[in-house]
Amino acid sequence: MSTDKKQEIANSNNNNNTTNITTPTPTTATSTTTDKIPTTTSATTTTDKIPTTTTNTTTTNSTPTTSTSIPSQPSNISSTATAATTTTTTATTTTTTTTTPTSTITTNNNNDIIEKDLTDREIEIKKIVSSAEYTGPPKKTIYLEDNTDIFDPSEPQIKEDIIRMIIQYLQDEGYTASLMTVQDEANVKFNEQVYKISQLKKMKKLILEGDWNEVEKLTAKNTFKNHQSFLYAVYKQAYLELIEKQEHQKAFSYLNKRLKPLEGRQNNADEFKDLCYLLTCRSVQESNSFKNWDGSKGTSREKLVEQFQSMLELENTKSTSALFRVPPHRLISLFKQSVSYQIEFGRYHPKVVPKIKTLLDDYSCFVLPNSLKFNCTGHKKNVKCVEFIGNGLTLASGSSDNTIKLWNTETGTCINTLTGHTSRIWDLSSSSNGNLLASSAGDGIIKIWDVSQNKSSLSSTSSSSSSTSSSILSSTTASILSNYSNGSIISGNNIIKNNINNNNNSNNNNNNKSNVINNNCLLSFKAHESDAYTVQFHPGQNHVATGGYDKSIHLYDVRTGQLVKSFYGHTGSISKVIFNPHGNLIISGSKDSTIKFWDIVSGVCIKTLSSHLGEVTSIATNSSGSYLLSASKDNSNRLWDIRNARPIKRFKGHQNTSKNFIRSSFGPNESLVVGGSEDGYTYIWDIETCNILQKLGTPSNNMPMVYSATWCQEQSLLATCSQDCSVKLWWYDKSMPVFNSN
């Protein structure tokens, strides 16, 4: 064992429960491939939750002043203040420091900051937050994603109904070509009247616009071939407009080609003769039959459409049966119901009716945590990480006591304790559906836990850890269990026989304690030779990425435990790995002070960010994947524009210097940043101004450091973990000041 490693272990067990992780020697960038993984691809996102504002940048050393474009918070909190930024340029480094206007903080009898001491930006945020009304615990509801007996999206009839609603919406919006494509590809056949009604609507639009070339093309369709009276009226209108324009040669050709074959469809016997007579006239009104025609700019086109409105209404009536009685605007109605549900069942209700600007994210009322809701105790050593599971009604925490605890966020009680690791828990990651939890530990082991039963039985306050079954299993969970039908558990690249299906072989299980399925553990494998510092679920839920002390990144298939690919190139330990929202990239932060982007398929590092002056301790992306938040031991958190690989914001004021992983993440509505600190406070920054909005914690001597802070948008809760063995849940309490006096 190296001297550095011994020193790290010694530091991790000292009285302060701190961890010193030394940086190993550099390695050459290589990639080892053992399998392939399908990736999720998506179109490039062009809109973000973080709008752009402009701030002034002042540069010293006689450098010209420039204007820098930086993002601000979402549009539901409008911008009223900007941050002043000072840039100091030297021969080797560029450091950006955010300066905040200083003011004397005064408080009233309620310990609230007096409004005259707040900036315009803070006054605006206070106004928005104060309008939120707490509605109490979530109402009892049925989570359909857990119960396919109620709603099964794979049911053939349900799938066909969805297609019908999409086709109806496309028809209402006039997307005829797309409508027919969807109908053909989905093999959902309707009566031909569906096609006819779309053609009739298109004809009406073209007539009113006077696009006679397109009208002529449309009349060749079967929809109009049998309506000769309608065709005669349409051709007559086009002919009269040619006469009006004095285009007699075109009119003569049009008369012979279009109107002559329909002679006899006119209203009176002399009308066709008058049409021929118009070829010698200067205006249409010179003919007795058309002396009341008011021209193309009059109402003649509208009258033509009205003349055959009865035909359109008839076709609309026929199309009702063709759509199998789909209620009008059914898709939009369901969206409205969904938004109403989100507002009604939200933890907070806004006093002012909100404006919904996107359907890609669930609505959540903007709040600012200002009070401690629960102080969850039970761990015996410091707590390194916290992770909300599923919809946030369950919280997982990993500790240096080698255990993972699951907490009910409604009551603050521990509902289960997961055991099996032989060293401290460094990181946790939940699958997107909340059924699986991955953990990484100092023993280099990655474990996959089934937490679906705990997620769906929140009323239980038991800490029992003996149950291994769940009444509801996700497809991934079922796939994992199916791999154990032969009584084997996969550990790294080796298969260890444990005969887990044979109850008589308890001795074999006891001899392999580190690999046996304990309580809810579905899979356990050795990912790294030393500490496994980080683990992250892929958006597709079938793979996890891991990183550790050995400077390597690995991609594993959680259904089999097999290694898919390895990524090499960092010269320091890997502190955090995540996937971008599209699932085609792995992003890694390292103790070598860099952030790297890796292509999953090729294993190649496609981008490196290296502006941090200290070790990178955490990274996170916003929901669109266009911005990256990083924490570093240079006492700063930075916001990066991933598209141009530049840092655009810097958040300071906290302490993050040595011996620990202090982590940060995006906060409420992705307009705030939350993070831990070595000084014992939890910090909340405003993304737009980079100012500290809130410091959560009770001032005292020797405050225990806060390792991590994680925000749950669904429950409007902030979870933190700290050195004092506790997990804390913070919320917005209307009875307390919006801004505390810390």
Side-chain angles (χ1 to χ4, degrees):
M1 180 180 295
S2 66
T3 304
D4 289 342
K5 185 62 180 177
K6 292 179 180 178
Q7 181 63 37
E8 178 193 352
I9 296 174
N11 289 333
S12 67
N13 294 318
N14 62 13
N15 294 331
N16 294 327
N17 289 326
T18 59
T19 303
N20 181 25
I21 304 169
T22 58
T23 305
T25 56
T27 59
T28 305
T30 59
S31 172
T32 304
T33 303
T34 60
D35 200 352
K36 293 184 179 180
I37 171 178
T39 61
T40 306
T41 58
S42 174
T44 303
T45 304
T46 57
T47 59
D48 309 306
K49 286 189 175 181
I50 308 179
T52 301
T53 59
T54 303
T55 63
N56 295 326
T57 302
T58 306
T59 306
T60 60
N61 295 340
S62 301
T63 305
T65 301
T66 60
S67 178
T68 305
S69 178
I70 56 179
S72 66
Q73 69 176 47
S75 56
N76 62 340
I77 306 177
S78 59
S79 171
T80 57
T82 56
T85 307
T86 303
T87 304
T88 304
T89 305
T90 65
T92 58
T93 62
T94 301
T95 305
T96 304
T97 305
T98 302
T99 60
T100 305
T102 58
S103 61
T104 303
I105 303 298
T106 22
T107 61
N108 57 19
N109 294 333
N110 294 324
N111 202 35
D112 195 3
I113 299 176
I114 297 177
E115 192 164 289
K116 67 184 179 64
D117 296 313
L118 301 176
T119 65
D120 291 341
R121 173 69 172 163
E122 291 168 341
I123 292 173
E124 182 181 2
I125 292 177
K126 181 178 179 180
K127 180 180 179 181
I128 295 172
V129 173
S130 299
S131 69
E133 291 283 355
Y134 182 66
T135 59
K139 300 176 183 178
K140 185 176 181 180
T141 184
I142 299 173
Y143 294 100
L144 297 182
E145 70 269 18
D146 289 340
N147 195 341
T148 56
D149 292 337
I150 299 175
F151 178 78
D152 185 0
S154 63
E155 187 73 24
Q157 184 59 52
I158 295 295
K159 294 175 71 174
E160 188 168 319
D161 289 345
I162 293 173
I163 296 299
R164 294 186 200 283
M165 289 187 290
I166 292 174
I167 290 177
Q168 183 193 58
Y169 177 79
L170 293 175
Q171 176 188 339
D172 292 341
E173 296 298 317
Y175 298 110
T176 306
S178 299
L179 181 154
M180 300 308 298
T181 300
V182 172
Q183 179 175 310
D184 291 341
E185 289 186 356
N187 197 29
V188 178
K189 299 301 181 182
F190 297 99
N191 191 290
E192 291 182 359
Q193 299 298 331
V194 178
Y195 178 74
K196 288 183 179 180
I197 192 62
S198 64
Q199 296 295 309
L200 288 169
K201 288 185 176 181
K202 184 176 181 181
M203 175 65 79
K204 179 180 178 180
K205 179 175 179 290
L206 293 175
I207 290 175
L208 293 176
E209 294 175 351
D211 191 348
W212 302 111
N213 290 331
E214 290 299 319
V215 167
E216 189 173 351
K217 294 178 182 178
L218 200 57
T219 55
K221 303 291 184 180
N222 293 332
T223 305
F224 305 100
K225 281 185 176 181
N226 296 327
H227 297 279
Q228 294 189 352
S229 296
F230 172 71
L231 294 179
Y232 175 82
V234 169
Y235 294 152
K236 181 177 70 174
Q237 177 70 19
Y239 174 79
L240 294 178
E241 291 189 17
L242 288 174
I243 297 296
E244 182 184 39
K245 296 176 183 178
Q246 298 294 308
E247 297 180 5
H248 292 86
Q249 187 64 37
K250 289 184 179 180
F252 175 74
S253 176
Y254 201 86
L255 178 69
N256 288 321
K257 183 179 179 181
R258 296 299 181 191
L259 290 172
K260 180 62 175 176
L262 297 174
E263 185 179 2
R265 297 291 178 178
Q266 64 271 24
N267 294 330
N268 59 74
D270 295 332
E271 185 176 277
F272 192 81
K273 293 180 181 179
D274 288 339
L275 287 174
C276 297
Y277 171 69
L278 288 176
L279 292 172
T280 63
C281 301
R282 293 184 177 180
S283 68
V284 175
Q285 288 74 21
E286 291 183 19
S287 170
N288 292 331
S289 298
F290 307 108
K291 61 182 179 181
N292 295 325
W293 190 76
D294 59 358
S296 59
K297 296 183 179 179
T299 60
S300 59
R301 294 176 183 173
E302 286 78 1
K303 290 179 180 178
L304 174 61
V305 172
E306 291 174 1
Q307 181 180 354
F308 293 92
Q309 190 66 35
S310 59
M311 183 177 71
L312 294 175
E313 292 174 354
L314 176 63
E315 298 296 350
N316 269 315
T317 303
K318 292 180 179 179
S319 69
T320 303
S321 60
L323 284 174
F324 295 90
R325 296 181 298 279
V326 176
H329 315 295
R330 180 59 178 165
L331 189 61
I332 297 299
S333 297
L334 291 179
F335 284 147
K336 289 180 179 179
Q337 293 175 27
S338 176
V339 171
S340 298
Y341 171 87
Q342 292 169 16
I343 297 175
E344 176 65 24
F345 283 80
R347 195 60 78 96
Y348 294 88
H349 283 180
K351 291 182 180 178
V352 180
V353 178
K355 178 69 173 179
I356 304 300
K357 297 182 178 180
T358 179
L359 293 173
L360 301 182
D361 298 299
D362 290 347
Y363 170 80
S364 180
C365 186
F366 178 81
V367 294
L368 179 67
N370 65 347
S371 178
L372 178 64
K373 185 176 185 180
F374 295 117
N375 184 28
C376 307
T377 59
H379 282 295
K380 298 179 181 179
K381 292 185 179 180
N382 59 65
V383 184
K384 294 294 186 182
C385 52
V386 285
E387 173 85 354
F388 284 100
I389 296 175
N391 56 18
L393 292 176
T394 308
L395 177 72
S397 60
S399 170
S400 292
D401 63 10
N402 308 345
T403 68
I404 301 167
K405 289 186 179 293
L406 303 181
W407 309 87
N408 184 330
T409 58
E410 273 305 300
T411 62
T413 57
C414 180
I415 58 178
N416 204 349
T417 300
L418 309 179
T419 61
H421 280 292
T422 60
S423 185
R424 69 184 62 197
I425 313 300
W426 283 111
D427 199 13
L428 297 170
S429 178
S430 170
S431 60
S432 58
N433 62 11
N435 288 331
L436 299 177
L437 180 70
S439 59
S440 62
D443 53 14
I445 299 291
I446 302 296
K447 289 183 180 291
I448 308 298
W449 310 84
D450 173 22
V451 293
S452 58
Q453 187 178 30
N454 300 115
K455 182 186 68 170
S456 58
S457 58
L458 293 176
S459 59
S460 172
T461 58
S462 171
S463 298
S464 172
S465 61
S466 61
S467 175
T468 61
S469 64
S470 173
S471 59
I472 302 171
L473 293 178
S474 66
S475 58
T476 303
T477 305
S479 176
I480 293 174
L481 290 178
S482 67
N483 289 315
Y484 300 137
S485 59
N486 61 353
S488 302
I489 297 178
I490 296 175
S491 176
N493 293 323
N494 300 317
I495 297 180
I496 301 175
K497 296 293 182 180
N498 288 297
N499 298 320
I500 63 175
N501 292 325
N502 188 347
N503 295 328
N504 297 325
N505 290 338
S506 58
N507 292 333
N508 291 336
N509 291 333
N510 293 331
N511 293 333
N512 294 287
K513 290 182 179 180
S514 63
N515 295 303
V516 173
I517 296 182
N518 293 311
N519 37 68
N520 296 49
C521 185
L522 298 175
L523 180 65
S524 180
F525 55 89
K526 181 78 171 178
H528 298 274
E529 292 302 320
S530 186
D531 292 67
Y533 287 136
T534 177
V535 64
Q536 181 73 25
F537 262 102
H538 186 271
Q541 306 182 92
N542 292 330
H543 298 80
V544 292
T546 70
Y549 178 83
D550 57 9
K551 311 173 193 176
S552 65
I553 302 167
H554 300 306
L555 185 67
Y556 286 92
D557 188 329
V558 299
R559 295 164 296 186
T560 63
Q562 292 294 333
L563 177 66
V564 176
K565 190 180 291 292
S566 296
F567 307 82
Y568 300 99
H570 278 293
T571 59
S573 302
I574 312 300
S575 55
K576 186 66 177 177
V577 293
I578 61 174
F579 291 93
N580 70 330
H582 306 313
N584 61 328
L585 297 176
I586 291 177
I587 309 174
S588 58
S590 170
K591 288 172 66 70
D592 62 11
S593 305
T594 68
I595 301 168
K596 291 182 180 292
F597 294 72
W598 309 84
D599 178 73
I600 286 184
V601 176
S602 66
V604 174
C605 177
I606 61 174
K607 185 184 300 183
T608 299
L609 308 180
S610 56
S611 294
H612 274 299
L613 302 179
E615 300 171 359
V616 177
T617 55
S618 76
I619 51 176
T621 64
N622 65 339
S623 58
S624 68
S626 56
Y627 293 96
L628 176 76
L629 178 68
S630 62
S632 170
K633 290 184 180 179
D634 57 9
N635 272 342
S636 74
N637 299 323
R638 299 195 186 203
L639 185 69
W640 304 75
D641 187 333
I642 295 179
R643 292 162 294 191
N644 57 27
R646 294 180 58 188
I648 53 178
K649 293 283 187 177
R650 190 176 182 185
F651 309 96
K652 300 193 69 177
H654 64 303
Q655 295 179 17
N656 182 9
T657 55
S658 63
K659 297 184 179 180
N660 301 284
F661 285 155
I662 303 297
R663 290 165 172 165
S664 62
S665 61
F666 285 97
N669 291 8
E670 296 188 338
S671 61
L672 307 179
V673 170
V674 298
S677 175
E678 292 174 357
D679 61 10
Y681 286 106
T682 299
Y683 284 75
I684 303 178
W685 293 268
D686 176 25
I687 282 184
E688 181 175 331
T689 64
C690 297
N691 292 341
I692 298 173
L693 290 180
Q694 199 83 286
K695 288 171 63 179
L696 300 175
T698 303
S700 64
N701 295 328
N702 300 319
M703 292 176 64
M705 66 182 67
V706 178
Y707 292 114
S708 180
T710 303
W711 173 255
C712 177
Q713 191 71 28
E714 291 87 344
Q715 304 302 326
S716 297
L717 289 174
L718 176 67
T720 62
C721 57
S722 57
Q723 191 181 22
D724 63 356
C725 313
S726 71
V727 174
K728 293 180 173 60
L729 286 168
W730 306 84
W731 67 322
Y732 170 64
D733 185 354
K734 192 173 180 61
S735 65
M736 302 292 290
V738 174
F739 298 110
N740 59 41
S741 57
N742 290 336

